Amino acid sequence: MQTDDVRQDLADRYPPIADHALVGDGETAALVGLDARVAWACLPRFDSPAVFASLLDADRGGRWDLPVRDLRSSRQHYLPGSAVLVTELTTGTGTLRVTDALLLDGALQPRTSSATGALGRLLEVVHGTVDVRSELRGRDGATVEGSAVPLPGGGDRALHLSSSRDTDRGHVLGAGDRWALTLSWTDEPLDLDPDTLAEALQRTDTAWRDWSAGVRFDGAHADLVLRSAITLKLCDHHASGAVVAAPTSSLPEAVGGERNWDYRFTWVRDAAYTVYALRRIGMVEESDAFLDWVLDAATREDARPDVLYTLDGTFPQDEVEDEEFEGYRGSGPVRWGNGASGQLQHDVYGEILDCAYQHVRHGGTLTDARWDRLEHLGRLAERHHLTPDQGIWEIRDAGRPFTYSVAMCQVAFDRLARLAELSGRADRAAHWRALADDVRADLVDRAWSEEDGCFTEHLDQPGTLDASLLALPLRRVVDAADPRMVATVDAVARKLSPGGGLLYRYLHADSPDGLEGNEGAFVLCSFWWVDNLVQSGRVQEARELFESLAARVNHVGLLAEQVDPTTGEFLGNFPQAFSHIGLISSAVLLARAEADGL
């Protein structure tokens, strides 16, 4: 157990998760702190070994610092409509502006090789003088200078650091002085002087602004919706169309706890929510690419589809614990890979079928071969929909008959019926429609508890409740205005909310998950709460809740997976794509309600 002194020492060595911004290029991403430290980067891809991981071990994790003498304050912002980041460090003698980006040659598009990439850092003194140096250390603690340094797990690939000034010492820069630093993973160093780096940063900014001009939303908090869209694009692997759940691993769901997971993969569950949110705001190309990726990955084999996949659509490596890293603020173990990959989670059938339905509904083709594979998934769901599984929250305990899992199997049957109707397969449509109706009726009957006055977490088990029930109206299983659903929303708010508009996924005392300790409030669940309120006509309540959530974004508009309800600190992997998907969906629903005069 950590003593007060140990906790304070760890807090001093590890900045808040919220004190970071994200830069990326569609192959990988990096976290840059308010102090201009690059604290996280896996190179050359999201799922590559970590080169910088000081968030997981302040001493051994690797980092790129720009320490200045006599730092007084700092602030950070993105350029408008862009993922180019500006950090301003104010000292007792002047102000230094650091502009960071993973450089783009042109428009946002897949690179010809993931081995090619560069992080550019342009330092410029705005006024006064600033004493600054560059300190770059890899994961093994080795200082990276101008010579090539092997890229962890990269074979013959190497990291190259080029600099327009000597990196062996610090420099006192005066107003207008510039310093160009470029870290590249290429066959040859990318050696840029201040002028050429400034031009490269301008091209990168232009590429982002050109892309973000296609985002369509003019409702309340349009700035946060745009920033969420850019953040999702930063989590988008352009070459494959996959979207990583988060670009980080093992940032804890509770400081000092063991709930630390690797999120640098793509969950099938996220897909349907993601493509729906993206399409709503004009990100059609990304939506279609993700749909294609999901359907290809999940329907290429006759076996049961996996829960999550690598960027290439393959099964992740086995989950391993890193014995070298202490974890964020002592939150071990640090994990690479994700053991949830092999779990039984029956909701995956509905997620895939919903993706397929969206694909065809928006003009995609449905070949006989793909129909056969999709119907095979439906038969698997028919066979297993009442058998216990680990559920949407991926418990590491014995399986249970989760209401959400059964509901998503019902979604699978419903979407197969709709697909059959759209494609002229009337006989199959009748079969799947009858099954969908029967399963829905059985679900509603067995999940409803007269004793509790709400739907329950598990079939035939009164007294259990979890926030995944809020997703039932969002997947068209139960209408949001159904009195039983309204009662369930209120029950979730009473039992699972610690206040402040936040919601726990479930209470561990009531719903054991096989792990020790607790966790924070799950951000996405609060947005599901907003959506339910809007769809049931309680629009003013929804607006107030949304406003409270919008106020929780960090200084550059990013959200983590979870929030500590006591302190408001971010927890879990960051930034979390699902949280930003929730923000977009809720903002769109509220804007439509506003347009309807509600």
Side-chain angles (χ1 to χ4, degrees):
M1 180 178 294
Q2 296 176 355
T3 66
D4 290 343
D5 288 343
V6 169
R7 281 194 293 269
Q8 186 58 55
D9 175 66
L10 289 168
D12 291 342
R13 294 168 57 230
Y14 290 91
I17 293 170
D19 284 2
H20 295 84
L22 187 72
V23 295
D25 64 356
E27 283 288 341
T28 190
L31 289 177
V32 182
L34 269 169
D35 58 358
R37 169 181 289 183
V38 179
W40 178 268
C42 296
L43 303 175
R45 295 201 330 176
F46 292 106
D47 53 2
S48 299
V51 173
F52 303 125
S54 62
L55 276 175
L56 298 183
D57 194 295
D59 299 322
R60 297 180 292 271
R63 62 188 187 275
W64 189 357
D65 288 329
L66 298 175
V68 296
R69 186 183 299 276
D70 191 24
L71 178 64
R72 302 289 181 85
S73 65
S74 64
R75 61 180 183 174
Q76 201 170 49
H77 66 275
Y78 286 109
L79 296 182
S82 175
V84 175
L85 180 70
V86 176
T87 306
E88 293 185 349
L89 305 174
T90 299
T91 73
T93 57
T95 298
L96 177 71
R97 177 189 298 130
V98 182
T99 304
D100 284 312
L102 283 168
L103 301 178
L104 301 171
D105 293 330
L108 271 68
Q109 58 189 4
R111 293 184 183 274
T112 56
S113 172
S114 64
T116 301
L119 171 58
R121 316 198 75 184
L122 182 62
L123 286 60
E124 182 176 7
V125 175
V126 178
H127 65 81
T129 62
V130 177
D131 188 344
V132 59
R133 63 184 299 116
S134 171
E135 296 180 355
L136 193 158
R137 295 187 179 276
R139 174 171 172 167
D140 59 359
T143 300
V144 180
E145 301 293 351
S147 58
V149 175
L151 192 63
D156 295 332
R157 300 173 188 171
L159 286 172
H160 305 276
L161 177 64
S162 66
S163 172
S164 62
R165 294 176 183 267
D166 185 358
T167 57
D168 288 335
R169 61 183 181 86
H171 299 274
V172 177
L173 307 181
D177 285 346
R178 296 188 297 175
W179 184 358
L181 291 157
T182 308
L183 183 68
S184 56
W185 38 103
T186 54
D187 293 334
E188 298 293 333
L190 185 61
D191 192 4
L192 302 179
D193 61 31
D195 287 338
T196 53
L197 178 54
E199 292 170 359
L201 288 167
Q202 180 60 57
R203 288 194 301 273
T204 301
D205 179 53
T206 298
W208 277 106
R209 287 189 289 107
D210 288 346
W211 176 85
S212 65
V215 175
R216 298 285 180 261
F217 182 78
D218 58 3
H221 292 294
D223 58 333
L224 292 185
V225 170
L226 177 58
R227 182 52 53 193
S228 290
I230 293 171
T231 304
L232 291 177
K233 188 64 174 176
L234 285 167
C235 293
D236 174 21
H237 184 240
H238 299 179
S240 66
V243 177
V244 295
T248 58
S249 175
S250 299
L251 292 178
E253 297 174 3
V255 173
E258 66 171 332
R259 299 168 183 270
N260 320 307
W261 316 111
D262 191 347
Y263 274 17
R264 301 169 303 145
F265 305 103
T266 297
W267 269 253
V268 171
R269 175 179 306 114
D270 298 10
Y273 290 104
T274 301
V275 298
Y276 193 42
L278 298 184
R279 187 172 287 276
R280 282 172 157 181
I281 58 172
M283 296 172 65
V284 175
E285 183 177 339
E286 289 75 15
S287 171
D288 288 346
F290 196 15
L291 277 171
D292 287 341
W293 180 91
V294 169
L295 294 177
D296 286 345
T299 63
R300 67 175 54 155
E301 302 288 347
D302 287 335
R304 176 180 61 86
D306 205 13
V307 174
L308 60 119
Y309 294 89
T310 68
L311 303 177
D312 299 321
T314 59
F315 296 157
Q317 66 187 48
D318 292 339
E319 182 177 289
V320 297
E321 297 182 0
D322 194 323
E323 297 181 355
E324 295 182 7
F325 283 2
E326 70 176 353
Y328 178 82
R329 296 188 181 177
S331 306
V334 167
R335 294 182 172 94
W336 308 107
N338 197 301
S341 173
Q343 287 187 348
L344 288 176
Q345 297 178 26
H346 299 323
D347 67 294
V348 68
Y349 303 115
E351 314 292 0
I352 297 170
L353 268 298
D354 196 27
C355 282
Y357 171 64
Q358 290 189 51
H359 179 70
V360 174
R361 180 187 175 197
H362 292 289
T365 59
L366 181 62
T367 64
D368 287 342
R370 178 161 282 180
W371 166 259
D372 290 344
R373 176 58 186 149
L374 293 174
E375 198 166 37
H376 171 69
L377 296 179
R379 287 191 290 271
L380 289 175
E382 184 176 5
R383 186 183 313 156
H384 298 296
H385 72 281
L386 292 177
T387 60
D389 71 343
Q390 272 64 47
I392 180 175
W393 307 131
E394 302 182 341
I395 64 168
R396 300 207 171 192
D397 201 357
R400 300 193 284 270
F402 286 95
T403 297
Y404 181 83
S405 296
V406 179
M408 289 308 299
C409 288
Q410 191 276 341
V411 169
F413 309 143
D414 174 83
R415 303 309 188 262
L416 274 171
R418 294 173 186 267
L419 282 166
E421 291 163 358
L422 287 173
S423 60
R425 295 176 169 89
D427 58 330
R428 304 311 300 152
H431 168 77
W432 292 115
R433 174 55 56 207
L435 182 59
D437 290 345
D438 289 346
V439 171
R440 181 188 179 280
D442 184 58
L443 167 75
V444 170
D445 178 60
R446 295 175 61 185
W448 176 257
S449 167
E450 289 291 346
E451 176 185 344
D452 298 314
C454 63
F455 291 120
T456 56
E457 179 183 21
H458 310 114
L459 300 186
D460 305 320
Q461 292 185 27
T464 60
L465 195 68
D466 84 316
S468 69
L469 297 168
L470 299 180
L472 299 184
L474 311 184
R475 312 315 291 270
R476 302 182 185 178
V477 179
V478 181
D479 191 277
D482 186 314
R484 294 167 297 185
M485 193 65 227
V486 173
T488 300
V489 171
D490 289 342
V492 167
R494 284 193 309 272
K495 189 168 184 179
L496 300 184
S497 177
L502 299 173
L503 287 175
Y504 293 116
R505 295 185 294 180
Y506 50 91
L507 299 181
H508 300 141
D510 298 336
S511 304
D513 58 14
L515 295 165
E516 296 295 327
N518 295 309
E519 62 183 43
F522 203 80
V523 174
L524 176 65
C525 295
S526 290
F527 287 117
W528 286 350
W529 187 5
V530 172
D531 296 348
N532 273 268
L533 292 174
V534 175
Q535 293 182 356
S536 62
R538 300 157 69 177
V539 178
Q540 186 54 38
E541 290 179 62
R543 287 196 187 99
E544 293 172 0
L545 176 55
F546 185 82
E547 289 296 327
S548 74
L549 298 172
R552 291 187 179 276
V553 301
N554 78 346
H555 60 288
V556 288
L558 304 185
L559 288 166
E561 177 189 26
Q562 299 185 18
V563 172
D564 184 323
T566 302
T567 65
E569 282 199 82
F570 283 2
L571 295 169
N573 285 303
F574 170 83
Q576 178 80 355
F578 234 172
S579 299
H580 287 280
I581 292 163
L583 187 150
I584 291 172
S585 295
S586 294
V588 170
L589 280 178
L590 283 167
R592 289 180 178 175
E594 182 76 21
D596 292 339
L598 300 177

